[in-house]
Amino acid sequence: MKRLLRSFSFRLAILYTALFSTLTCLLTGAGMWVFGGTLLLGLSGGWLMSRAIGGRLEVIVHAARSVMNGDLSGRVPVRGGGDDFDRLNETLNLMLSRIEAQFDTARRLSDNAAHELRAPLARLVGRLEALEQETRGNPAMRIAVDEAIAQANRLRRIVAALLRISRLEGGRQILNVQRSDVVQMLEDAVEFYQPEAERAGIALSLHVRRPLIADLDLDLVFQALSNLLDNALKYAGAGACVTVTASREADVLRIAVSDNGPGLPADETDRATEQFFRGSAATENTGEGLGLSMVAAITQAHGAAIALTPNEPGLRAEMRFPAGMTPPAAGHGGGGVDVERAGERAGPGM
Amino acid sequence: MHVLLVEDDRALADHITSGLREAGHIAEHCGDGREGLIRATCETFDAIILDRMLPSLDGLKLLAALRATDNATPVLILSALGDVEQRVQGLRAGGDDYMTKPFAMSELLARVECLGRRSGHITESSSSLRVGDLEIDLVAHTVTRAGARMELTLRELRIVAYLARNAGRVVTRSMLLENVWDYNFDPQTNIIDQHISKLRQKIAGEGRSQLIHTVRGVGYVMRDA
């Protein structure tokens, strides 16, 4: 009986040992699985999470960029789940709305101010002109009145230019874009300024190759070109050369006015397109400081850019019109016609 | 000239009517759009100066209504709305000229006088123009003085032709700019003066009399003597 009991307990011990080892083995395996699974879950979850967060941050960055680039109406989309991101986005949107409203107010204010100035200015000029009639017999008085009229006219030009710039910048001027012969426009501009260049002792010339066709608002681009030529002739100095060039490279149309005059100090180049900025070379009679801001507004309205770079010596002002403004070159056989003219020439038609 | 002014700004209207009267014209004023239309259709004027933003009837609607009755009285639109598109809109509606406020009285007078003449008897289609001994052949594009041919650029020919068409009347710098150059732009300096001075040298060279005279503070006039 005692033997039987011993053998039983021995078997039991073996069984137990076997059971225990199997269990340990099983448990170790399961532990490995659990660990692996958790690791995998954790990693993939983290990756998914960071992707989701990254995506939502990307949306915010995108909206901020579009606002930075001038589209003040850009907003961050709100999902409506009420989570932390939504709260953040709602706050950001509120901030953007406020910025937009303030921008609008500032723009409207300067626009309205300029607009409201017109009527009293018209009356002022009127009264001064009436006064001029009455002071015919008094030369000293008449000179004073003439000076007042000249200043009122200057004010009138400033107001007109400000309104024009403000309309262009606010995108409220509809561009009259037409397929245009750029060379013809450049010839007309150079011809227009040729007598003034001769008077100032400056050699004005045009270097361009036909054909050069682009989709532009001709009146506006002519205005920009006129302002650039005006500046060049004012500041280049007697004996200088002013050159107008235009070319199309990789669908970018470049129109440049370069001179070999004294140029612009580096610290003034960046600020030159600011409204009312007048460089150190400006004098009482050189202008209102709006010419280059007008050029900047006109190019911007065309989706183009203006670049002022040293010409060593002198200044090079280049307008760069992006692809899309320029249609694919018309099928012209062989090389174009070189146009290189200075001096006498006339435009078309009577 | 008998001129109707439709303008609701009282002070400005007074200034314009007195300016017109001083220049020897008969000026009548009316400050309301609808009343302006009635007067313009019932009476005969040599020219109408028309504001755009008017009480009761907008200036352009007035103009359209006037033109719809086959009334061809020359109309100068005088407005604070000075965009290129707004100008085009005004001219399409039947306006003959467009001026932006604020303006100089001398400019307005010059334009009104040229407008009044446009409706007159001189035919625009004539192929040659003559002022004194200066003759312009608009077909052959030649200019001769006392029979001697002058070498002018095409642009100079256009300037001479515009001045000759308005001979005896003052032409302002902006009128020249609008009519001789094909771009709607605003040069910052008086480039026109340089063109005129070059042209003068050609026309009056070799001891011949000057035909283009400066009118101080206003512009130029072409006149024999």
Side-chain angles (χ1 to χ4, degrees), chain B:
Chain B
M1 276 171 68
H2 194 188
V3 182
L4 174 67
L5 168 69
V6 191
E7 162 69 70
D8 62 332
D9 184 327
R10 190 74 225 180
L12 196 58
D14 286 347
H15 170 58
I16 296 172
T17 47
S18 72
L20 285 167
R21 281 176 195 144
E22 235 165 80
H25 304 295
I26 304 160
E28 290 186 44
H29 167 240
C30 129
D32 174 88
R34 203 162 284 164
E35 192 200 326
L37 178 60
I38 294 167
R39 296 199 60 178
T41 34
C42 297
E43 300 170 46
T44 311
F45 294 97
D46 297 313
I48 298 171
I49 301 171
L50 182 65
D51 185 17
R52 274 186 72 162
M53 289 179 288
L54 289 166
S56 84
L57 184 67
D58 175 80
L60 289 193
K61 288 193 181 124
L62 188 162
L63 183 56
L66 188 69
R67 293 294 185 240
T69 63
D70 282 338
N71 185 321
T73 311
V75 170
L76 182 145
I77 301 167
L78 184 62
S79 172
L81 308 171
D83 281 16
V84 176
E85 309 110 72
Q86 288 161 336
R87 291 178 82 99
V88 170
Q89 212 179 19
L91 297 176
R92 279 211 188 118
D96 298 275
D97 201 353
Y98 199 107
M99 254 184 90
T100 308
K101 289 179 194 170
F103 58 91
M105 191 65 212
S106 49
E107 179 84 35
L108 180 68
L109 279 176
R111 285 175 187 264
V112 167
E113 280 164 19
C114 279
L115 268 191
R117 198 206 52 100
R118 206 179 284 178
S119 66
H121 334 284
I122 299 169
T123 47
E124 289 282 321
S125 59
S126 61
S127 61
S128 72
L129 295 161
R130 179 179 268 280
V131 179
D133 59 356
L134 180 90
E135 194 168 349
I136 306 160
D137 187 327
L138 296 174
V139 180
H141 288 191
T142 55
V143 180
T144 53
R145 184 126 199 231
R149 193 173 157 172
M150 271 179 287
E151 287 305 318
L152 299 188
T153 64
L154 215 48
R155 188 77 60 193
E156 286 167 335
L157 188 73
R158 286 177 75 174
I159 301 173
V160 176
Y162 185 72
L163 287 167
R165 267 201 194 97
N166 294 295
R169 302 192 187 269
V170 183
V171 165
T172 65
R173 291 177 182 86
S174 44
M175 284 162 80
L176 272 170
L177 191 67
E178 283 165 27
N179 288 285
V180 174
W181 278 270
D182 306 312
Y183 302 88
N184 196 323
F185 75 114
D186 187 16
Q188 294 181 312
T189 31
N190 268 334
I191 309 293
I192 303 283
D193 291 350
Q194 310 303 334
H195 284 268
I196 296 284
S197 103
K198 273 192 84 174
L199 187 57
R200 269 185 172 153
Q201 285 166 19
K202 289 189 181 180
I203 288 181
E206 296 161 33
R208 286 173 299 213
S209 67
Q210 191 51 265
L211 290 178
I212 305 171
H213 308 271
T214 305
V215 181
R216 209 182 69 92
V218 187
Y220 300 96
V221 62
M222 185 178 258
R223 180 178 345 105
D224 188 18

Side-chain angles (χ1 to χ4, degrees), chain A residues 109-121 123 159 163:
Chain A
L109 195 72
S110 71
D111 208 26
N112 284 348
H115 209 85
E116 290 303 315
L117 280 172
R118 286 208 238 192
L121 208 50
R123 278 178 235 137
V159 167
L163 275 171

